[in-house]
């Protein structure tokens, strides 16, 4: 049976009390902390860097999943590895040499992944599946939180799932953007197993209630698959 993972994005958390926020969301049932890094260059926003990752690392035992929306990417990868990242993903358009960047992440002791925007073709995966630990499908255009899910992403998730299955490798398939309790089942049915949710969780007073509602939807998908 598929193991499903909920990965709250701290981009939507209260930054004035970030340590408390990550502890609370893990206590509410989160499996992974998703960490969005934007550079005001590759995407039109500026968020957080390695020092913030280092600051929250002692507060949680779960993996920290760093999504780099920066260009170029190679210079900053070792900084996030030292800061406590477990998984580092980046956009193929932001790297001059994708294979080398994936290897750099792994050489620094982290799991590596590629991120695909709504209009980014999937062919980048064809020659690097042996270095991939995660594929992240963006179901919004990157750069801002709180956007609505783009349904076309479901087709892309299905393509990525087929490529993972054909590779025979243990690769996480993550989806990020507009994920809520009312659409998480559709993403899971398409093949995703890891779900990033920001405002859907941190925008509500009861984190556990939201995560429990998402898990209930995922249980329904697992039962249908069985």
């Amino acid at each position: 049976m598929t193991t499903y993972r909920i990965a709250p994005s701290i981009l939507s958390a209260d930054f004035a009390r970030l340590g408390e926020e990550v502890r609370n969301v893990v206590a509410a049932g989160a499996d992974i902390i998703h960490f969005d890094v934007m550079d005001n260059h590759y995407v039109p926003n500026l968020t957080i860097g390695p020092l913030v990752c280092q600051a929250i690392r002692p507060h949680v035992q779960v993996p920290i999943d760093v999504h780099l929306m920066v260009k170029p990417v190679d210079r900053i990868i070792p900084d996030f590895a030292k800061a406590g990242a477990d998984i580092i993903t980046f956009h193929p358009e932001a790297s001059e040499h994708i294979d080398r960047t994936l290897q750099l992440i792994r050489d620094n002791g982290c799991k590596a992944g590629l991120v695909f925007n709504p209009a980014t073709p999937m062919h980048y995966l064809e020659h690097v599946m042996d270095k991939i630990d995660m594929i992240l499908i963006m179901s919004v255009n990157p750069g801002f939180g709180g956007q609505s899910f783009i349904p076309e992403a479901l087709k892309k998730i299905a393509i990525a799932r087929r490529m993972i299955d054909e590779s025979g490798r243990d690769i996480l398939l993550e989806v990020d953007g507009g994920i809520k309790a009312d659409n998480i089942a559709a993403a899971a049915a398409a093949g995703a197993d890891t779900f990033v949710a920001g405002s859907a969780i941190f925008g509500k007073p009861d984190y556990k209630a939201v995560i429990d509602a998402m898990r209930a939807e995922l249980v329904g998908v697992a039962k249908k698959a069985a």
Side-chain angles (χ1 to χ4, degrees):
M1 185 181 284
T2 303
T3 300
Y4 292 118
R5 299 167 183 85
I6 307 290
S9 168
I10 62 167
L11 190 62
S12 299
D14 180 352
F15 273 67
R17 49 192 191 91
L18 201 48
E20 182 186 346
E21 287 275 69
V22 295
R23 290 195 304 273
N24 287 346
V25 83
V26 170
D31 303 291
I32 294 172
I33 295 295
H34 189 78
F35 194 99
D36 286 307
V37 183
M38 305 181 190
D39 66 352
N40 193 34
H41 174 67
Y42 177 69
V43 291
N45 208 339
L46 185 65
T47 59
I48 44 182
L51 288 177
V52 178
C53 183
Q54 184 178 346
I56 67 168
R57 179 72 276 180
H59 291 271
V60 292
Q61 300 301 311
V62 300
I64 296 177
D65 163 27
V66 173
H67 171 198
L68 294 178
M69 290 167 268
V70 305
K71 183 177 183 178
V73 297
D74 288 11
R75 221 295 295 139
I76 205 163
I77 284 167
D79 294 351
F80 274 101
K82 287 187 191 115
D86 297 280
I87 306 163
I88 299 177
T89 61
F90 66 96
H91 293 253
E93 306 95 325
S95 170
E96 295 295 327
H97 303 284
I98 294 165
D99 184 275
R100 185 167 68 193
T101 302
L102 289 167
Q103 191 59 53
L104 176 64
I105 294 170
R106 289 181 148 208
D107 287 348
N108 277 272
C110 297
K111 292 184 176 180
L114 281 181
V115 189
F116 293 87
N117 291 333
T120 304
M122 302 291 285
H123 66 74
Y124 289 105
L125 286 168
E126 290 173 7
H127 303 289
V128 294
M129 289 295 276
D130 61 323
K131 291 186 174 72
I132 295 277
D133 301 291
M134 174 183 276
I135 297 169
L136 171 50
I137 303 298
M138 294 299 295
S139 43
V140 297
N141 286 294
F144 299 92
Q147 298 183 73
S148 296
F149 184 87
I150 297 173
E152 187 73 16
L154 296 173
K155 294 180 185 175
K156 217 162 200 176
I157 293 168
I159 292 168
R161 171 49 58 198
R162 187 173 69 246
M163 294 179 77
I164 291 169
D165 291 346
E166 288 172 356
S167 77
R169 296 180 57 80
D170 184 16
I171 297 172
L172 297 178
L173 179 49
E174 187 171 59
V175 58
D176 180 2
I179 291 293
K180 302 174 183 175
D182 61 7
N183 62 19
I184 195 169
D193 53 40
T194 306
F195 307 89
V196 177
S199 53
I201 295 174
F202 285 110
K204 301 291 190 295
D206 188 341
Y207 301 163
K208 187 174 188 305
V210 179
I211 292 173
D212 286 352
M214 290 179 170
R215 290 215 190 275
E217 293 291 327
L218 295 172
V219 167
V221 174
K223 283 180 180 173
K224 283 181 188 172

